[in-house]
Amino acid sequence: MSSPGTQPQRLLLARQLVRDKGLSRTDLALLEDILREGARDLEPLIEATPQREALAEESPAQAALRRNLGFFLAFLHGFSPRRLGEARNAMGLVMLHSLGRLGDQAEAAHRELLAELKQPEWVTQLLDLLASLRAMSLAPSEDQNNLRLLWSAFLADHRDAFRDILAALQASEPGAASVARLNAQMKAVNRAIQGQGRLEEALTRLAEHLESCIPAEIHSRVEPLLLLEHVVSHLRLSLVRPLDRGIHWPAVEQVRGSLRWLWDHLGWSLPRMDAELFRDSMPPELRRLLQQLRRSDRPAFSLVARALASHISLLGLLESLEPATSAGLRDRYAAVPTFLVLESELSRLAERSYDPARGESLNPSRPETHRLRAFLRQAVLSLQQDQSTLRGLLQQALAGQDADQLALTLDNLRALLMNHQKQLMGELVGIFSPDVQNRLFPESPSMMEEGERLRVRLQRLWEQVPPLQGQLLLHLELQDWPRLALGLSHTFRHLLAFRRSPEFPLMRRPDREEAERLIEEMGQLLESPQDVPQALREGMDLLGELLRFLELFLLRINARVPLIRQDLEVAQEALRLISELQNHPSGAERTRLSHMLIQTSKRLGVRDPQALALLKRWIRIERSQKEGPMPSLDQLASHLRHLALRLEAALG
């Protein structure tokens, strides 16, 4: 299997970079090393077996078709019926709409190809008629009488197309013989419709005669796209009945096997790394930083290069997605497989590029090593949380079978993942150069900024709902059911607005699921209740529970600012004590300062376990040897300085 790490493809990419940017030999060597380090992670997402060589050039429509077919195949390869849950029915829609979009894209690609080749109109009509004929021939054939009526109507609708094609063929050089064969076969089809012959065999021969009339110079170019239309139409028709009651695993296996065969026949490939995106994502400042890192610390360069290459690959996939809110119903459901591929890509990034075990190969004497190891652990947790958020919200939106909610969920997830990818890239670069981080990632929101956005949104909801609760309690006491129902409906709209906001996915999973449960239960109570007064009473109880949840959640968020300020003061005090301790190599004053440092730094252990671990390491060394240099104290000081900078940035 070839990959971006193999020599020919790397050289092609290097030549393209030379042409476009005029890079130096040093830059090319650097980019070669980055590709080499990330070669295992940047294998093509889907690659065909070497049965057929794909054309080097492709039109924009064909490129979009190849991309979407590749993502759909990658989704099918990782699809499991055990993960369906309540989204079983919606996944059937995802399959049908994805196949429908692929069919339309194949049609658009072959029309674009015909326009480029400047083919006459009758060739386009011939190809469309052939695709329609093949699709119709796959209709269910249990009722022969009904099938004959369908075919009679189909041929009547396409009478003008047949006449135009026959007229154009008559004027061509070998046209007389082709027209005679087509007329004879049309008569055989008409006799079969009337019950005098085998209809399926007659239609198959008609399709073969029509295909033989396609000009030879374009047949080889258009045949793969016609084949794709034919296969996709067949699969979509075969899925209609099994998917009436939700996803059907044998049907999915049929789709996967057929499309995989087609992908191999076309010879297509879907690489993870896009050359143009890779070029644009390596500005001169970043190249200089990586060159310096490669010269001074090769293991750290290997880790950083591998992570950056994977981030660039993921960002390219995210930026290629279109906004779902402005798309139609079909495109919304057809975008779901790409997001499920994104989920598996996040898992791959966490397991390969950010494997904490890779931190063991770093040089412990380097000042950035400790921060880099801590960042690896934090990045894995962040990626796993994003993966859980994506899976949970997407499954929830599919289970609700609400296309508008699905579109909002897809757009919110896209924005969330893009921000977090840029944030991880910025923090990784910032370990080695804060200046480069500020220049390349100025708009990347920090975790504190995202938390502040969530706090403001919750505060706004808190300011809107409790005043309404006072009025609703009065309506409940007076048993004014119409006004109470209107008030609860108005309150529920505020809750739905919060649920559909971009800040809602920022909540951690347990809190998000609890808020979702309360909002859903209120919606179920207000939707066609059997006993209206009882439903309204229960709705008021549920509203009280939800307000208590919001109050506790806001208290937890608001309490973080004093805690951050307290940790900042502790870190600064510990740094001051370390500075004084380094100036007193021995004596009673050193013992007193050591005791004060222990008492001060251990207060950080609640929210920063790494500081406590470094403190314990220094204590062990301090007790074993009281003289000589102590690198563990320098490591603790480096960690505290980094912690103080992060806390100062969090406080704004």
Side-chain angles (χ1 to χ4, degrees):
M1 176 182 289
S2 63
S3 72
T6 57
Q7 187 70 13
Q9 198 160 353
R10 290 208 311 273
L11 290 177
L12 287 175
L13 179 57
R15 293 191 188 102
Q16 180 181 357
L17 291 169
V18 170
R19 287 196 304 269
D20 295 343
K21 291 286 186 181
L23 300 178
S24 66
R25 290 180 179 272
T26 306
D27 291 332
L28 289 177
L30 171 70
L31 297 174
E32 283 282 311
D33 282 350
I34 293 175
L35 289 174
R36 188 181 300 111
E37 296 294 342
R40 289 183 300 163
D41 302 330
L42 299 178
E43 295 173 341
L45 197 62
I46 294 291
E47 189 171 25
T49 55
Q51 296 177 1
R52 177 188 180 115
E53 185 178 356
L55 297 174
E57 297 181 359
E58 58 183 2
S59 64
Q62 187 172 339
L65 172 64
R66 177 181 56 82
R67 233 175 117 265
N68 286 316
L69 178 58
F71 287 135
F72 188 55
L73 257 179
F75 153 71
L76 290 176
H77 283 323
F79 184 77
S80 171
R82 293 185 296 273
R83 295 178 52 190
L84 288 173
E86 298 178 357
R88 191 177 190 87
N89 293 330
M91 290 306 293
L93 294 176
V94 168
M95 298 286 292
L96 287 176
H97 287 305
S98 297
L99 289 172
R101 185 176 68 171
L102 288 174
D104 291 347
Q105 287 178 335
E107 181 181 355
H110 98 249
R111 285 182 177 275
E112 185 179 71
L113 181 59
L114 291 176
E116 289 179 0
L117 297 175
K118 298 180 180 179
Q119 292 299 311
E121 180 64 24
W122 72 270
V123 176
T124 304
Q125 287 183 322
L126 175 59
L127 291 171
D128 288 343
L129 180 61
L130 181 59
S132 300
L133 186 64
R134 283 175 166 172
M136 274 294 296
S137 65
L138 299 168
S141 57
E142 289 85 355
D143 189 350
Q144 290 294 329
N145 293 329
N146 188 36
L147 183 61
R148 291 192 178 96
L149 292 176
L150 289 174
W151 272 110
S152 179
F154 173 81
L155 295 176
D157 292 339
H158 292 79
R159 184 182 294 113
D160 294 337
F162 275 109
R163 288 175 179 172
D164 294 341
I165 292 170
L166 292 174
L169 286 173
Q170 187 70 39
S172 62
E173 182 178 350
S178 299
V179 170
R181 287 197 302 271
L182 283 175
N183 280 326
Q185 191 58 38
M186 283 295 299
K187 292 178 181 178
V189 171
N190 288 329
R191 289 195 299 270
I193 289 176
Q194 296 172 4
Q196 303 175 9
R198 299 180 60 183
L199 181 58
E200 292 83 355
E201 182 179 346
L203 290 170
T204 301
R205 290 186 178 179
L206 177 61
E208 291 173 354
H209 288 321
L210 284 172
E211 188 172 2
S212 66
C213 296
I214 301 175
E217 61 272 14
I218 70 163
H219 186 270
S220 60
R221 297 283 303 275
V222 181
E223 181 191 16
L225 301 177
L226 282 175
L227 180 62
L228 179 57
E229 282 187 73
H230 169 60
V231 172
V232 168
S233 299
H234 167 58
L235 292 173
R236 195 165 186 274
L237 285 173
S238 66
L239 284 180
V240 171
R241 186 164 298 172
L243 294 181
D244 284 343
R245 291 179 295 276
I247 198 74
H248 185 55
W249 182 243
V252 175
E253 279 294 293
Q254 179 190 4
V255 172
R256 189 191 65 80
S258 299
L259 291 183
R260 181 69 214 198
W261 171 85
L262 182 62
W263 183 269
D264 293 339
H265 177 78
L266 295 172
W268 282 348
S269 178
L270 182 63
R272 279 190 169 95
M273 176 60 74
D274 180 78
E276 184 177 355
L277 179 65
F278 181 62
R279 177 200 66 196
D280 295 339
S281 302
M282 288 290 165
E285 301 94 333
L286 186 56
R287 291 202 302 270
R288 285 194 292 270
L289 175 63
L290 290 174
Q291 286 169 358
Q292 179 183 358
L293 185 61
R294 183 178 57 169
R295 288 192 298 267
S296 61
D297 191 349
R298 186 72 191 199
F301 167 78
S302 173
L303 193 151
V304 173
R306 190 170 173 180
L308 286 178
S310 295
H311 281 303
I312 293 171
S313 171
L314 261 179
L315 277 175
L317 174 54
L318 285 164
E319 291 172 351
S320 67
L321 298 173
E322 298 293 333
T325 50
S326 58
L329 176 68
R330 186 198 65 181
D331 291 333
R332 293 176 182 180
Y333 278 98
V336 171
T338 306
F339 277 85
L340 292 174
V341 171
L342 269 170
E343 181 201 345
S344 62
E345 289 294 286
L346 289 173
S347 175
R348 177 188 61 83
L349 182 58
E351 292 174 359
R352 294 190 181 185
S353 302
Y354 280 114
D355 182 10
R358 302 191 67 210
E360 300 301 324
S361 63
L362 299 176
N363 185 359
S365 63
R366 299 287 301 177
E368 302 90 359
T369 296
H370 167 65
R371 294 171 56 189
L372 191 54
R373 286 174 177 173
F375 173 73
L376 288 178
R377 291 188 290 270
Q378 185 61 39
V380 170
L381 293 176
S382 177
L383 290 168
Q384 289 175 346
Q385 182 177 345
D386 286 345
Q387 185 185 5
S388 174
T389 300
L390 190 154
R391 184 192 308 122
L393 290 181
L394 195 58
Q395 181 130 347
Q396 193 172 41
L398 289 172
Q401 298 190 18
D402 185 345
D404 294 334
Q405 178 65 25
L406 176 62
L408 286 171
T409 299
L410 295 178
D411 286 345
N412 290 342
L413 286 172
R414 176 176 178 268
L416 176 74
L417 294 175
M418 287 184 66
N419 287 338
H420 285 184
Q421 289 299 305
K422 293 178 180 178
Q423 179 185 324
L424 286 175
M425 290 178 69
E427 290 183 3
L428 180 59
V429 172
I431 292 176
F432 303 94
S433 175
D435 293 336
V436 175
Q437 177 186 7
N438 293 332
R439 285 200 299 269
L440 298 184
F441 306 97
E443 299 178 357
S444 177
S446 65
M447 297 295 286
M448 187 64 186
E449 290 170 346
E450 289 188 340
E452 181 64 16
R453 280 173 45 205
L454 177 60
R455 190 193 68 80
V456 171
R457 172 69 71 169
L458 284 168
Q459 186 67 34
R460 192 185 312 161
L461 181 65
W462 178 257
E463 293 171 355
Q464 291 169 342
V465 176
L468 295 175
Q469 187 192 26
Q471 300 175 8
L472 296 176
L473 288 173
L474 179 61
H475 296 327
L476 179 62
E477 184 178 353
L478 297 176
Q479 296 188 1
D480 191 347
W481 307 123
R483 290 187 178 181
L484 180 57
L486 288 174
L488 276 175
S489 177
H490 185 55
T491 304
F492 183 64
R493 283 197 295 271
H494 285 303
L495 298 174
L496 279 183
F498 167 66
R499 176 187 172 187
R500 297 180 177 181
S501 67
E503 289 76 23
F504 185 71
L506 297 176
M507 300 175 70
R508 294 187 181 274
R509 181 179 177 182
D511 297 322
R512 188 179 67 244
E513 290 179 351
E514 178 65 13
E516 186 71 29
R517 180 187 67 82
L518 294 171
I519 294 173
E520 280 191 357
E521 287 184 6
M522 179 170 286
Q524 293 170 1
L525 281 174
L526 297 178
E527 184 180 356
S528 303
Q530 297 290 335
D531 186 351
V532 174
Q534 181 62 27
L536 294 177
R537 291 189 185 95
E538 293 178 2
M540 287 299 298
D541 294 338
L542 201 59
L543 179 60
E545 184 179 353
L546 194 141
L547 286 177
R548 287 190 295 274
F549 166 78
L550 288 179
E551 183 179 11
L552 291 174
F553 194 75
L554 275 172
L555 285 174
R556 282 164 48 201
I557 291 182
N558 292 331
R560 290 176 185 172
V561 173
L563 291 174
I564 290 172
R565 187 175 292 111
Q566 177 186 348
D567 287 348
L568 176 60
E569 293 173 356
V570 171
Q572 291 172 342
E573 177 64 17
L575 283 171
R576 185 187 66 80
L577 292 171
I578 289 175
S579 178
E580 294 184 11
L581 192 61
Q582 290 172 338
N583 296 329
H584 294 79
S586 61
E589 183 65 16
R590 178 181 180 83
T591 303
R592 186 184 67 85
L593 291 173
S594 299
H595 181 71
M596 292 178 60
L597 177 61
I598 294 171
Q599 296 301 318
T600 301
S601 300
K602 72 179 184 180
R603 293 156 59 190
L604 295 171
V606 177
R607 287 173 293 279
D608 189 10
Q610 186 63 28
L612 187 60
L614 290 173
L615 179 66
K616 290 179 179 179
R617 183 186 302 174
W618 170 73
I619 291 173
R620 286 196 299 269
I621 296 177
E622 178 78 3
R623 289 175 177 174
S624 62
Q625 52 180 16
K626 298 227 174 187
E627 308 212 352
M630 289 181 294
S632 61
L633 186 60
D634 295 333
Q635 292 174 4
L636 177 61
S638 175
H639 174 76
L640 291 176
R641 278 192 291 270
H642 177 55
L643 177 63
L645 289 174
R646 287 174 51 199
L647 295 175
E648 286 177 352
L651 288 175

